[in-house]
Amino acid sequence: MIVGDYSEDYEVMVPFQALGMIGFQVDAACPGKRSGDTVRTAVHDFEGDQTYSEKPGHLFQLNTAFGLIEADAYDGLYLAGGRACEYLRLDEDVLALTRTVMEAGRPVAAICHGPQILAAAGVLAGRRLTAYPAVAPEIRAVGGTYVAVAPENTVIDGNLATSPAWPGHPGLLRAFARQLAPDLAI
């Protein structure tokens, strides 16, 4: 799981805990930080404004150092959403990791702004996916097909599962977990 300062709180906490609860080892990492360091999260709410509001979330403790990650050691990749994706997509090591996992056809889940990382990695040409609607132009610009769905829905295209926002966790996490462990009864 790739996270960073101001990742969306629910989009970090819920998947980390839910995937761990069903038996997956989830390594959460952030470029420039070590195991035991924390990232600040943000809570995004829709309160009638033209876009979401942002409030302080929790401190989320990382359990691995990004510099120690070897892409081939992982069965899948989870890209949390939130503002962190704006700068994580500029990190060449994040992009290389993303490319390696996608090109190997391993399961990838991305929520909200997470597809910004996929777009910057250049792995969306010909793919169908969803995201927070403000990310649609980036998806289209790199040859992906943006699918507008309700926030609680998930779009699956091969190894890639995406959802526009945290209300989509049930479907997104179910799809991701089934790709990681097809015999898992969920």
Side-chain angles (χ1 to χ4, degrees):
M1 174 183 280
I2 297 177
V3 299
D5 284 320
Y6 300 101
S7 288
E8 209 291 329
D9 190 87
Y10 295 156
E11 294 169 3
V12 173
M13 301 290 189
V14 171
F16 184 81
Q17 293 172 341
L19 292 168
M21 186 233 12
I22 58 177
F24 293 108
Q25 169 61 44
V26 182
D27 287 347
C30 175
K33 297 197 179 204
R34 299 178 310 233
S35 180
D37 288 350
T38 59
V39 294
R40 291 186 179 277
T41 67
V43 175
H44 297 116
D45 269 325
F46 294 90
E47 302 172 302
D49 299 315
Q50 292 177 320
T51 189
Y52 56 84
S53 64
E54 184 171 86
K55 298 168 184 63
H58 297 89
L59 291 178
F60 176 77
Q61 187 172 37
L62 304 168
N63 62 357
T64 194
F66 187 81
L68 300 179
I69 291 177
E70 294 182 25
D72 293 332
Y74 288 92
D75 296 325
L77 176 64
Y78 185 92
L79 299 172
R83 274 194 303 133
C85 300
E86 294 173 7
Y87 66 84
L88 290 171
R89 68 184 167 165
L90 304 175
D91 187 295
E92 286 302 322
D93 293 329
V94 168
L95 300 180
L97 172 67
T98 302
R99 280 187 212 103
T100 298
V101 175
M102 283 291 289
E103 290 168 2
R106 285 180 250 151
V108 174
I111 191 164
C112 190
H113 288 77
Q116 287 182 307
I117 295 170
L118 296 167
V123 296
L124 294 181
R127 302 303 294 261
R128 292 180 68 253
L129 66 151
T130 194
Y132 182 67
V135 181
E138 289 177 62
I139 292 169
R140 291 182 184 120
V142 297
T145 299
Y146 171 75
V147 181
V149 299
E152 62 273 6
N153 290 344
T154 296
V155 173
I156 302 167
D157 182 0
N159 66 315
L160 179 61
T162 55
S163 185
W166 56 261
H169 278 144
L172 179 67
L173 293 172
R174 187 178 311 107
F176 186 55
R178 284 181 177 160
Q179 287 184 1
L180 288 168
D183 295 331
L184 190 63
I186 56 168

